[in-house]
Amino acid sequence: CGTSRPLPSLPAGSWVPSVTPQDILYRGILRRKLQLSHFFVDHPEDAFGSLGKLLHQNFYLGDSKLRVSVHSGLPPCSGCPRKNLVPRLRWFSHLARDWLFEVPLGLLADCVHEDLLLQWASLLFDDSPTGGALAWLPPKDVGARTGRLVYPGGQAMNHLCILPHGVALRRGGGGREGVPCCTALSCPHLPGELAVCTQSGAVYLWSVETGLQRLRHDPQTMFFRDHSPWRWSDFTAHPRVLSCADRTGLQCLDTRVSPGGCHFDLFKVGEEAGCQQGERVVLPMYLGRAYPSQHLVTTQFSVYVLDERLPLVPVLKWAHMMKAPPLFAHLTPGGPGRSHKVLLGASRTQELLLLQYRGEKRGSACQLVGTPQKLHSVSSCLQHLPAQLPHRHRLLQQRLSAPAAGGCPAPPGGLGSLLIFQLSEAGDVFSTSPLEEAECPQEPSANPQPSPAAALRYRRWLKAFSKVCGQPPRHTRPPTFGQKRLFTRKELEEPSAPSALQGQARRWLRQAMRDGGCLQRWDPPPSALPEPPEPAEDPDPLSARLTASWCGDWDGWWEGRMSSSLAQRQRALRERRRRQKRARGRRSLSASFTSSLTYQSELSELSDPDTAPPPRREASPPLGTSPPAAATPPSPEEALLSSQSLRSRGIPKERRKTLRDYLAVWADGPPEPPELPGSQASQLCIPSSQSQLSSASQPRRKRPRMGF
Amino acid sequence: MDSFLEEEEDDEEAAAATKNAAVGSALLPALHLPSLPPHLYQPGKGRAVGFPAKSKEVCLSYIQDAMLRKQWKRAAEFLTFYIESLEKDFSTEYMGPSEVIWRIGAEILCHRFHNNMKEFSSFIEQMKTLGVKRYLKVCLEHAFHLLCNGQIDEAYQNLSLAESWRFGEQTAIQDKEMKLIQAYRGLLDYYSWSKQKNILLEHGQDGLEDLSVEQEMHGCFRKAAMNLKEIIKIPGVWDLFVKCYVDLLEFYGDYSEAREVLNEYAYNSKFPANPNAHVYLYQFLKRHGESKKSLLSALKILHDIVPSHELMIDFHIMLQKSKKRKKRRLGLEVIFAVLDYAGWKENVKAWSCLARQVKQIVISEKHLDWIKQEWDPRRDWWPAFHFSRYSAKRNWQENESLSYEKALVAGILLGKGCKAQVKRFRILKKFLNKHNPVYLRLSGLSDSSVQP
């Protein structure tokens, strides 16, 4: 009875385990404050690594060899060093830490959240292995003994492996049949034809000669609304009629008429089939090799057999009671007068059920024959393998309980009895024989010993497995990047002589540095510079403030912050505009700037000596409700900087000193800019509400100023 | 976070469940736990909990596992354990488990004791009292089981008993189930009716008449007819009941009622589009020597619903015999449509029908456009579907007459492109050479110069 457990057919290869719930859910209690305050201590590499790696070439650290003491002041890691190692996380951090900080936090959080949702959904139910990725190609000549097993392999499932008699041949450039919702099934009737469907709800017939023919395009589901973008298509008894499926049912489409012209409903989740609430189609399959007009439909609860000639009413229904929905099914036709075998397989739980059914013999109804049989899963081999060290045992267990990626029966033709192959996501191919299992005594002993031949195969597989596991993962050492790596040699090379353009640019640059101003007139003109990304409608206050101060428009931000509403601000602006008209042609700070109108122009307007008579410039713009500056002189600086007035403006206590210091510096004032022609100044200084609103999106600001 | 905490609790519960299962195994002789589900491998702290819902689930999964591996004894042991656990459980939710016990128990008894009907029946009787709502369902399945074991009288008694059962107000589902029970009782009445009918017919040949048998037969008829009539009013697929009911009516000469029933069954739009309904109607009409026209119209509808139906050969032959051009045209359409389907690919009868009509058309040189019209939409896929080199070779090896018929059709439709089919038939070659222009006209290459 030992051979009833699955036996490995291939030596073990390497594998990256897929996401587990533990990867997503945080185990234990999260103590944010404590953990984050210790972050630099706990994860010094993550905190300082990337910057250090980038810059270390530029530091001269003496001629002697640098010695790093690991334990300098850091608490030693407690417990097993491998315990907290989440390889996936580490690999990701190695890949991403150099650029991740550049992504805006809000955006990143959204993306992470979205991805977590997707990952979680796929943990609950992953439909990507629908259809299975393992197929048995029967021998070409009926008498021959060698069929072939076909499955995807390689790191990215980009090899098509063909396995005759236990020898793997690799052939590059294959594809995975049954890629999620982008199925391509070959026609059982005609060579060179495929039924193709996409997630967007389009169904095509593809043929070698005529290419794609679209039969249907409807992003909506067929019978009722369902959010799943999963689609499937298959052939029917008529070579020109295709079936297409979504989670709500199956339709048959005729290719001979225009798209959407002729179709009939084959299966509908609903009353006709006696479906339960929440029942959804998981996998449809054409049973043409058993009966030309029959289809199999599996849902998470039941298995249905449908006949094209009597659509909507199933000719057979059976509740499979599998723990996970059956994602792959294979038919082994039993020949005339014999029952046909259907293998159902679930992915996550590795369940495999073998049903026998017989249908549509003259006068008899379609029915299941005998009891369905459950086959041993790959993970049940664990008992047969010799005892392992605990952590090796855990790895082995993880490996063996990898979700199934496919299962297929090899018909009894040359091999004597039916042999069932199982492919796991780890790329292991195991085989089991249900007939031998049926001959087992009713009560299995607790841990049956495998036969010597089987034990040898297990040992061999285990040897290969431990070899793969023994290798340190390829990514344990962080990748190092020097600056030289980031740029090509050509890019780093000094140009032979500066071109005229470069010379001019340098001159401008020097001039701007001397003046302490900002260089705006780049050649090529500023419009050629890449536009900064449009910020979200309502950025969080911190990033708005950071953006504003980066652009030198901190006081603009401040004003926006201080004035209580947009309406008030607009009123204030209107006031100022009126003043503007009166004082046309005056000197303006913004005169040297050629970019479009911003707050800055308004503020510079405010800081104009004409309108702001006091010698020390006022940094805090007046509140919208305050009377025009021209009418009443602004309150003296002492009053402005008094704790009371600062408090009244909502400035927290700890900031007040900073603000006072800042204002003291600010009061010294930048140099006066050159005068502009009056027309340009007037043109520049007409603010509009639009420019006011979009000021945040125009970060090419006027003057470099001190930070916030 | 919350969900995780829940999960951890679940783990603990599950761990407790396994512990409980282990305790159970100590009480029961030689009980072996199957391989644990992976989520149970993580060791939990395992505090003592009563018998939570999760552990019942685990127990059920063990039962399922044992049953699917045909380990009936082990399954039975787990089931006893499950029932015991229910007795200790005072939760209100009792409806679920009773169905579970009924289904699992019936399955185990069937296989373990090889249809020991006595034990099975006593178990089912217990089950009937367990849940009121499920009473009718259990009765019906019990009757099926008895029928499968040839105990027709017991089944009949069982159904009669169920029919007389009343409990409170009937729900809609119970109403449907009651109708089904009545219908199946009607079916059994029909069975005894037809048995007595056969006896009477035999005796009639002997010249003896048995009045009591005849009376009994009529009684059966009345009971059967009454019950069968009820069920076929509800929209559904009732092929078996309709056939029996029509048989009864026909025997007593009530043709108009029979016809009405069949018409209703075939044409009522509330019923699913059932091709069998049209088949029964056609067969009825044929039995009663109805006109060709009504037969053809019945088959025409069948053709529209299921172009691949086996009656289409009859339909084609009838249409062929017709003198009307339109009907012969339809005949060609029908036979082409039949051969579109994969199931007919190697049917000699269908191919010979097509070959005969095509040959007739070619010889008479009239209506070549019919063939052209049928051939045009199939031009791009029939050659690969029917006339490939591989299929020619296989047909020749397996069935020579099929090979001949196909070769004839291929020769006319494909012209010179059918060497693989035609090469073995010398006379056919001559015929095709003679009618070569036909191919040219079919292929649309024709111009005035090649027209005959």
Side-chain angles (χ1 to χ4, degrees):
Chain A
C1 192
T3 48
S4 67
R5 302 270 164 174
L7 283 174
S9 302
L10 272 183
S14 63
W15 173 55
V16 182
S18 47
V19 180
T20 61
Q22 285 76 33
D23 290 346
I24 293 179
L25 295 166
Y26 180 74
R27 278 189 165 268
I29 306 149
L30 189 69
R31 280 169 299 180
R32 273 189 208 89
K33 250 186 189 168
L34 199 66
Q35 275 173 343
L36 288 181
S37 64
H38 288 172
F39 181 76
F40 298 109
V41 178
D42 293 339
H43 307 277
E45 201 177 272
D46 296 331
F48 308 112
S50 55
L51 204 63
K53 286 271 150 47
L54 273 176
L55 295 179
H56 79 272
Q57 286 178 341
N58 298 354
F59 286 105
Y60 178 66
L61 297 166
D63 289 329
S64 64
K65 229 179 170 185
L66 184 68
R67 224 182 265 167
V68 182
S69 76
V70 180
H71 298 292
S72 55
L74 301 179
C77 291
S78 56
C80 174
R82 290 182 72 90
K83 201 181 96 183
N84 292 322
L85 192 80
V86 186
R88 176 181 300 278
L89 207 61
R90 287 183 65 84
W91 296 350
F92 179 74
S93 84
H94 291 320
L95 281 176
R97 64 183 174 194
D98 286 346
W99 51 264
L100 198 62
F101 67 91
E102 287 178 4
V103 182
L105 274 179
L107 188 69
L108 186 68
D110 282 348
C111 292
V112 168
H113 185 247
E114 196 182 326
D115 190 58
L116 275 176
L117 280 179
L118 284 175
Q119 295 270 13
W120 187 246
S122 82
L123 273 174
L124 292 177
F125 174 55
D126 183 12
D127 62 13
S128 61
T130 306
L134 186 68
W136 173 262
L137 298 184
K140 202 174 170 189
D141 302 310
V142 182
R145 286 171 56 90
T146 49
R148 277 167 172 78
L149 209 58
V150 183
Y151 61 95
Q155 292 272 318
M157 295 290 171
N158 52 351
H159 293 283
L160 198 64
C161 303
I162 298 173
L163 182 76
H165 274 282
V167 185
L169 297 175
R170 293 231 153 156
R171 228 198 239 174
R176 184 170 177 169
E177 203 183 37
V179 174
C181 307
C182 188
T183 55
L185 292 180
S186 63
C187 180
H189 311 299
L190 295 170
E193 286 201 353
L194 294 175
V196 182
C197 73
T198 66
Q199 280 196 334
S200 57
V203 180
Y204 301 91
L205 175 70
W206 179 86
S207 92
V208 183
E209 282 153 25
T210 56
L212 281 178
Q213 181 193 352
R214 192 163 79 180
L215 308 179
R216 182 179 193 273
H217 182 78
D218 187 2
Q220 300 292 318
T221 44
M222 286 184 281
F223 300 110
F224 53 86
R225 200 177 287 244
D226 188 88
H227 61 86
S228 171
W230 176 86
R231 299 287 185 277
W232 198 262
S233 68
D234 207 336
F235 286 87
T236 68
H238 194 297
R240 296 288 98 180
V241 177
L242 259 62
S243 73
C244 77
D246 59 30
R247 294 272 179 239
T248 65
L250 253 89
Q251 260 182 359
C252 290
L253 307 169
D254 199 326
T255 63
R256 292 165 297 178
V257 287
S258 58
C262 178
H263 59 83
F264 67 90
D265 303 340
L266 183 58
F267 178 76
K268 195 154 78 176
V269 171
E271 208 187 347
E272 290 96 335
C275 293
Q276 289 183 43
Q277 201 168 14
E279 193 160 349
R280 295 288 183 273
V281 174
V282 173
L283 174 75
M285 185 174 75
Y286 174 50
L287 295 175
R289 286 193 295 150
Y291 299 104
S293 61
Q294 287 187 349
H295 293 254
L296 181 87
V297 173
T298 65
T299 67
Q300 69 266 51
F301 304 121
S302 299
V303 177
Y304 301 86
V305 176
L306 289 141
D307 198 302
E308 283 168 35
R309 294 166 298 178
L310 180 49
L312 296 174
V313 187
V315 292
L316 179 76
K317 177 179 175 172
W318 181 67
H320 55 67
M321 289 187 276
M322 285 164 84
K323 289 183 196 80
L327 277 179
F328 29 89
H330 277 274
L331 173 79
T332 310
R338 296 188 61 190
S339 62
H340 309 284
K341 292 185 179 69
V342 175
L343 181 78
L344 294 179
S347 169
R348 192 172 48 80
T349 52
Q350 297 187 341
E351 288 163 286
L352 275 180
L353 271 189
L354 191 66
L355 317 176
Q356 299 187 57
Y357 94 106
R358 177 180 288 161
E360 208 227 333
K361 267 201 88 185
R362 210 167 275 273
S364 81
C366 187
Q367 57 184 332
L368 287 181
V369 184
T371 49
Q373 198 180 337
K374 190 179 185 177
L375 306 174
H376 281 289
S377 61
V378 172
S379 58
S380 69
C381 298
L382 197 66
Q383 322 171 4
H384 287 310
L385 293 165
Q388 301 284 314
L389 287 170
H391 105 264
R392 185 54 64 74
H393 180 85
R394 211 162 40 240
L395 285 175
L396 192 61
Q397 188 189 328
Q398 187 187 32
R399 172 72 172 238
L400 289 177
S401 52
C408 75
L415 293 163
S417 63
L418 190 71
L419 203 63
I420 286 167
F421 290 98
Q422 303 176 46
L423 172 72
S424 79
E425 263 184 15
D428 294 323
V429 180
F430 281 71
S431 64
T432 179
S433 169
L435 294 181
E436 283 172 62
E437 203 171 319
E439 287 158 15
C440 285
Q442 284 220 334
E443 308 304 323
S445 61
N447 196 0
Q449 287 304 307
S451 69
L456 187 69
R457 282 170 78 174
Y458 282 129
R459 262 209 306 282
R460 223 180 269 157
W461 181 84
L462 196 66
K463 207 172 156 193
F465 172 72
S466 40
K467 211 187 237 170
V468 173
C469 285
Q471 284 173 3
R474 250 172 272 165
H475 303 283
T476 39
R477 284 190 58 221
T480 50
F481 290 111
Q483 280 173 325
K484 280 179 186 154
R485 283 277 192 83
L486 291 174
F487 305 101
T488 60
R489 183 175 296 175
K490 206 174 174 189
E491 281 167 329
L492 284 175
E493 200 163 75
E494 284 279 323
S496 51
S499 67
L501 194 69
Q502 279 168 330
Q504 197 184 14
R506 276 180 196 168
R507 248 177 288 127
W508 279 337
L509 202 61
R510 261 184 227 117
Q511 176 71 35
M513 282 163 80
R514 244 198 319 275
D515 298 347
C518 178
L519 190 66
Q520 281 291 316
R521 296 207 311 136
W522 288 101
D523 202 8
S527 61
L529 287 173
E531 282 294 317
E534 285 286 322
E537 275 178 28
D538 193 9
D540 62 306
L542 180 64
S543 30
R545 182 173 157 188
L546 286 174
T547 314
S549 55
W550 178 257
C551 308
D553 191 22
W554 181 78
D555 34 7
W557 172 82
W558 183 250
E559 185 205 36
R561 174 99 177 160
M562 293 314 282
S563 51
S564 52
S565 73
L566 187 66
Q568 281 172 332
R569 262 181 281 162
Q570 276 173 342
R571 212 181 313 142
L573 272 173
R574 235 173 281 130
E575 280 291 325
R576 256 174 271 148
R577 209 177 302 161
R578 217 175 302 138
R579 267 183 284 134
Q580 198 85 59
K581 275 179 190 158
R582 260 181 273 140
R584 192 161 287 200
R586 286 167 313 187
R587 303 189 318 159
S588 160
L589 252 187
S590 57
S592 63
F593 309 135
T594 53
S595 74
S596 60
L597 301 164
T598 59
Y599 257 176
Q600 188 57 45
S601 56
E602 322 269 326
L603 293 169
S604 59
E605 183 59 32
L606 280 174
S607 59
D608 196 290
D610 291 352
T611 47
R616 299 185 100 182
R617 240 162 276 188
E618 185 193 359
S620 174
L623 287 172
T625 46
S626 65
T632 47
S635 51
E637 178 202 327
E638 285 77 27
L640 176 80
L641 294 178
S642 75
S643 307
Q644 212 173 355
S645 90
L646 287 177
R647 199 192 312 133
S648 70
R649 278 151 204 257
I651 299 165
K653 204 175 170 184
E654 61 269 22
R655 289 278 160 88
R656 280 175 212 154
K657 187 175 181 309
T658 320
L659 188 63
R660 263 186 229 118
D661 292 350
Y662 169 60
L663 287 174
V665 173
W666 168 242
D668 298 342
E672 295 287 285
E675 197 173 344
L676 256 195
S679 61
Q680 201 180 340
S682 69
Q683 193 191 359
L684 279 171
C685 295
I686 299 169
S688 69
S689 62
Q690 200 204 342
S691 73
Q692 180 199 8
L693 287 172
S694 63
S695 62
S697 68
Q698 290 168 343
R700 270 177 285 118
R701 288 293 170 242
K702 297 24 240 223
R703 10 179 4 109
R705 287 200 181 148
M706 277 182 67
F708 38 92
Chain B
M1 180 102 172
D2 280 349
S3 62
F4 166 65
L5 285 176
E6 272 170 34
E7 195 172 81
E8 197 167 57
E9 261 172 38
D10 283 353
D11 277 1
E12 280 180 16
E13 276 179 14
T18 48
K19 210 176 163 190
N20 278 344
V23 170
S25 69
L27 297 173
L28 294 165
L31 221 148
H32 305 290
L33 290 176
S35 54
L36 292 177
H39 66 275
L40 296 182
Y41 275 115
Q42 286 163 6
K45 274 157 226 154
R47 55 164 196 254
V49 231
F51 201 88
K54 186 94 182 179
S55 66
K56 270 184 263 174
E57 233 168 72
V58 173
C59 185
L60 276 180
S61 78
Y62 291 163
I63 299 175
Q64 190 200 3
D65 191 78
M67 287 174 76
L68 289 171
R69 296 185 202 282
K70 301 182 184 176
Q71 296 161 353
W72 304 111
K73 187 165 172 246
R74 196 166 134 246
E77 285 164 355
F78 273 120
L79 183 63
T80 2
F81 178 56
Y82 179 72
I83 295 168
E84 272 172 22
S85 78
L86 286 180
E87 282 164 5
K88 291 171 201 154
D89 178 35
F90 301 105
S91 64
T92 46
E93 194 200 5
Y94 212 66
M95 288 316 289
S98 75
E99 169 142 12
V100 166
I101 295 169
W102 162 47
R103 296 237 176 246
I104 293 176
E107 197 71 24
I108 293 175
L109 281 173
C110 269
H111 289 98
R112 178 114 198 264
F113 299 106
H114 301 287
N115 292 329
N116 181 342
M117 284 314 293
K118 210 173 156 191
E119 282 213 30
F120 186 80
S121 292
S122 75
F123 172 76
I124 289 292
E125 289 306 326
Q126 282 181 44
M127 288 301 111
K128 282 179 190 170
T129 55
L130 205 63
V132 172
K133 282 190 185 164
R134 211 161 289 102
Y135 180 84
L136 293 174
K137 225 182 196 176
V138 179
C139 283
L140 196 59
E141 292 223 356
H142 189 196
F144 288 158
H145 197 91
L146 291 166
L147 284 174
C148 287
N149 285 285
Q151 297 176 321
I152 294 162
D153 293 339
E154 284 87 344
Y156 190 86
Q157 276 171 21
N158 208 312
L159 288 174
S160 314
L161 210 70
E163 213 179 325
S164 60
W165 178 80
R166 289 284 175 275
F167 182 83
E169 266 187 47
Q170 254 181 16
T171 60
I173 296 170
Q174 278 177 341
D175 198 44
K176 261 187 195 166
E177 284 170 352
M178 190 58 99
K179 283 256 162 61
L180 263 181
I181 283 185
Q182 287 166 351
Y184 275 103
R185 201 173 64 85
L187 203 66
L188 290 183
D189 281 323
Y190 168 79
Y191 176 75
S192 48
W193 172 83
S194 72
K195 228 163 65 179
Q196 278 148 359
K197 185 187 78 175
N198 288 340
I199 294 169
L200 272 183
L201 287 177
E202 271 174 36
H203 282 234
Q205 278 173 356
D206 298 342
L208 296 166
E209 284 201 7
D210 195 335
L211 259 177
S212 66
V213 174
E214 200 178 333
Q215 262 175 4
E216 209 181 312
M217 186 181 111
H218 294 326
C220 282
F221 158 72
R222 271 190 296 277
K223 281 190 273 181
M226 194 177 70
N227 283 330
L228 292 175
K229 197 180 171 181
E230 282 305 305
I231 190 94
I232 59 182
K233 280 181 191 161
I234 307 168
V237 180
W238 307 121
D239 289 0
L240 193 61
F241 302 130
V242 168
K243 257 171 105 172
C244 295
Y245 186 51
V246 167
D247 191 24
L248 286 173
L249 292 174
E250 275 186 274
F251 184 80
Y252 288 99
D254 194 353
Y255 300 131
S256 64
E257 168 78 4
R259 183 194 294 263
E260 205 187 310
V261 166
L262 286 171
N263 270 322
E264 174 78 3
Y265 192 52
Y267 295 119
N268 189 338
S269 58
K270 280 181 191 160
F271 282 67
N274 182 353
N276 284 344
H278 299 276
V279 174
Y280 299 149
L281 183 64
Y282 166 74
Q283 285 167 343
F284 175 82
L285 296 173
K286 202 176 169 188
R287 273 200 300 274
H288 296 282
E290 294 284 332
S291 67
K292 272 250 162 70
K293 203 181 159 192
S294 55
L295 289 179
L296 285 176
S297 72
L299 285 176
K300 175 75 175 64
I301 291 170
L302 187 63
H303 167 69
D304 291 342
I305 302 174
V306 184
S308 62
H309 199 278
E310 48 196 11
L311 278 178
M312 289 305 111
I313 297 291
D314 295 7
F315 188 36
H316 167 81
I317 292 170
M318 281 165 73
L319 288 168
Q320 268 304 95
K321 285 178 189 158
S322 168
K323 279 174 190 139
K324 284 185 188 160
R325 251 199 310 172
K326 214 172 150 191
K327 291 211 170 128
R328 274 181 284 141
R329 169 82 186 82
L330 181 64
L332 188 70
E333 200 184 313
V334 166
I335 198 69
F336 260 107
V338 159
L339 284 168
D340 279 350
Y341 285 88
W344 287 93
K345 232 180 141 176
E346 269 146 35
N347 190 297
V348 189
K349 183 84 188 156
W351 278 109
S352 73
C353 284
L354 179 62
R356 197 189 309 143
Q357 188 168 10
V358 166
K359 197 175 166 188
Q360 266 177 19
I361 292 173
V362 168
I363 290 171
S364 69
E365 294 208 353
K366 267 190 244 166
H367 313 305
L368 275 174
D369 55 320
W370 293 357
I371 303 181
K372 188 170 160 46
Q373 277 164 20
E374 291 301 323
W375 177 238
D376 274 345
R378 293 175 172 86
R379 192 188 294 278
D380 57 335
W381 61 279
W382 263 41
F385 187 51
H386 286 307
F387 306 130
S388 67
R389 189 175 289 272
Y390 173 74
S391 74
K393 194 179 155 194
R394 240 186 73 188
N395 291 152
W396 172 251
Q397 280 167 355
E398 286 168 9
N399 192 338
E400 218 170 295
S401 58
L402 171 71
S403 193
Y404 178 79
E405 304 292 356
K406 276 179 83 170
L408 177 63
V409 176
I412 291 166
L413 295 175
L414 295 176
K416 291 246 161 73
C418 64
K419 273 186 188 150
Q421 278 80 20
V422 180
K423 65 181 176 193
R424 293 182 186 88
F425 306 106
R426 216 175 289 158
I427 303 165
L428 183 63
K429 235 186 213 167
K430 268 187 198 164
F431 171 82
L432 289 174
N433 280 337
K434 197 176 146 199
H435 294 280
N436 195 34
V438 169
Y439 159 69
L440 294 175
R441 278 173 64 187
L442 285 176
S443 61
L445 297 170
S446 62
D447 51 48
S448 52
S449 63
V450 288
Q451 266 186 3

